[in-house]
Amino acid sequence: MMPVPGREGAYRQPPPRRPGPPPTRAMPARGDIPPSAPPRTRRRRFGPGKILLTLLSVVVLFLAGVWVYLEFSINRVAALEDYAGRPAAASGTNWLIVGSDSREGLTADDEKRLVTGDVEAAGGGQRTDTMMIAHLPDNDTKPTLVSLPRDSEVAIPGHGTNKINAAFSMGGAPLLVKTVEQATGLRIDHYAEIGFGGFANIVDAIGGVDMCVDKEMRDTVTGITIPAGCQELDGAQALGFVRMRHSDATPRSDLDRVENQRKFIGALVSQIASAGTLLNPFHVFPLLGAAPDALTIDEGDHLHNLVGLAWAMRGISSDGVLSTTVPVTSASAEHWDKTKSKQLFEALRNDTAVPESAIMT
């Protein structure tokens, strides 16, 4: 039953709600407002890949800087010139490597330490103690390093017949290159020269060069003595080793000297190219500092040409390079054997194996 209106306990409906503004909340006091949380920042993480890439970029930039420095710092000379009758280009690439007796930049103490001797007593002018042709083939035959004895009698263009090393004092690098080209029939493509001081500085820069000497070498003219046995030669000792010919250990005089020169060049290049040198900052930085002043190359040559030469010559000490002297008729090395020397130079010109009969050690 429905409750009767007006009676106690009767059910009453609530009155309808009138629309009005929404209820407002009391604002908390200023001091009661909680501080807002700081925005969350995303932390950057450098993984191994990014670190490695950064290090690699630094190394590449460093090497590029060193390359540019050396490219523009090495001394240059106009050594290669065109002329009527110049030998035509043939197979392979030929370098003329020259060790001059230049004392430029040496102090009196340096000359005494290196035992360079008196320039006037040596005949005056500037001459070449070392001359080698490095032939780099275009095929799989061995690179060849050929010594030209400095006392060889050859025709010097415009100056008659004389010792080959006199060409340098008469007309510098251009006349020497022309003389070698005319005497051998080989076109010289690149030129490199190093003096007394530069040679010694490069050896000292890499901490010396390891050499094994079979017999004590005592020069009766300069007084330089190099004991027998395996040892490390510093710059002064190395210069004495490659120049020595007045000794019981060099009975063939200049022939023994040029053989020792090729032997030392092989040890020097191998040591420069070794990880012990390239990864050692105490060797590589002094080497980079000494090389530009020590070397002189043709004005058309570049650093990559030198790198190619060094890479090819690194096999001298391991029989990867054929090492020989121009065949001569006697121990005085004044005259070349016409038949054998022709065979040698023809083999180089054509990138073919050098006949055994034309190899002189």
Side-chain angles (χ1 to χ4, degrees):
M1 294 180 64
M2 297 294 292
V4 177
R7 298 180 77 176
E8 188 177 47
Y11 174 76
R12 295 183 179 180
Q13 281 186 322
R17 206 170 201 185
R18 293 183 179 181
T24 59
R25 295 183 180 179
M27 294 295 292
R30 184 181 295 269
D32 295 336
I33 300 176
S36 59
R40 298 181 64 181
T41 59
R42 191 173 184 180
R43 300 177 65 181
R44 294 183 179 180
R45 295 183 179 180
F46 289 93
K50 288 186 177 180
I51 294 176
L52 183 61
L53 181 61
T54 301
L55 292 176
L56 182 61
S57 299
V58 171
V59 171
V60 170
L61 289 174
F62 171 75
L63 293 177
V66 170
W67 188 278
V68 172
Y69 164 74
L70 292 175
E71 177 70 30
F72 290 97
S73 299
I74 295 177
N75 300 313
R76 284 179 165 81
V77 63
L80 307 180
E81 298 179 345
D82 283 326
Y83 55 88
R86 186 182 185 192
S91 300
T93 301
N94 298 312
W95 279 83
L96 179 60
I97 303 172
V98 174
S100 76
D101 63 1
S102 172
R103 295 155 174 81
E104 184 178 354
L106 297 180
T107 65
D109 289 339
D110 290 334
E111 292 184 1
K112 183 178 180 180
R113 177 177 63 88
L114 299 177
V115 197
T116 61
D118 183 71
V119 65
E120 297 300 331
Q126 185 175 328
R127 296 183 179 235
T128 49
D129 266 16
T130 306
M131 283 164 287
M132 300 179 186
I133 294 177
H135 177 76
L136 314 184
D138 290 333
N139 52 31
D140 58 356
T141 58
K142 286 184 179 181
T144 304
L145 188 63
V146 182
S147 293
L148 310 177
R150 71 173 198 168
D151 291 336
S152 301
E153 295 280 345
V154 297
I156 299 178
H159 298 273
T161 300
N162 206 328
K163 293 182 178 181
I164 193 171
N165 72 333
F168 195 80
S169 61
M170 293 175 179
L175 182 59
L176 177 61
V177 170
K178 188 175 182 180
T179 300
V180 171
E181 288 184 331
Q182 293 296 299
T184 63
L186 298 174
R187 187 186 186 98
I188 300 300
D189 304 294
H190 303 283
Y191 176 85
E193 175 191 327
I194 187 169
F196 280 171
F199 177 83
N201 288 341
I202 285 181
V203 173
D204 287 333
I206 62 173
V209 174
D210 296 326
M211 287 293 297
C212 289
V213 179
D214 297 331
K215 183 180 180 181
E216 181 187 68
M217 304 176 71
R218 185 187 300 272
D219 196 305
T220 58
V221 175
T222 64
I224 295 175
T225 299
I226 301 175
C230 294
Q231 57 203 286
E232 188 176 78
L233 302 183
D234 62 19
Q237 292 171 319
L239 187 60
F241 178 79
V242 299
R243 296 184 66 209
M244 191 175 299
R245 61 173 178 165
H246 303 288
S247 166
D248 290 340
T250 54
R252 299 185 304 163
S253 187
D254 203 35
L255 292 180
D256 286 323
R257 175 164 69 171
V258 296
E259 186 174 345
N260 287 335
Q261 289 171 351
R262 296 195 303 272
K263 181 180 179 181
F264 186 86
I265 290 296
L268 175 64
V269 172
S270 297
Q271 195 156 326
I272 288 177
S274 69
T277 297
L278 298 178
L279 299 180
N280 187 340
F282 295 102
H283 288 164
V284 72
F285 285 111
L287 178 61
L288 293 176
D293 291 332
L295 292 172
T296 298
I297 59 178
D298 180 67
E299 60 184 9
D301 290 332
H302 299 283
L303 185 58
H304 68 268
N305 300 126
L306 279 173
V307 172
L309 172 65
W311 183 256
M313 291 295 106
R314 76 194 188 285
I316 297 177
S317 56
S318 59
D319 293 330
V321 174
L322 174 62
S323 176
T324 186
T325 304
V326 174
V328 294
T329 59
S330 66
S332 66
E334 292 180 344
H335 303 288
W336 295 354
D337 186 301
K338 293 182 179 180
T339 300
K340 294 180 179 179
S341 61
K342 182 179 180 181
Q343 292 174 341
L344 169 65
F345 297 134
E346 282 186 350
L348 299 184
R349 190 180 305 110
N350 299 317
D351 264 1
T352 57
V354 177
E356 290 289 338
S357 58
I359 300 175
M360 183 174 181
T361 58

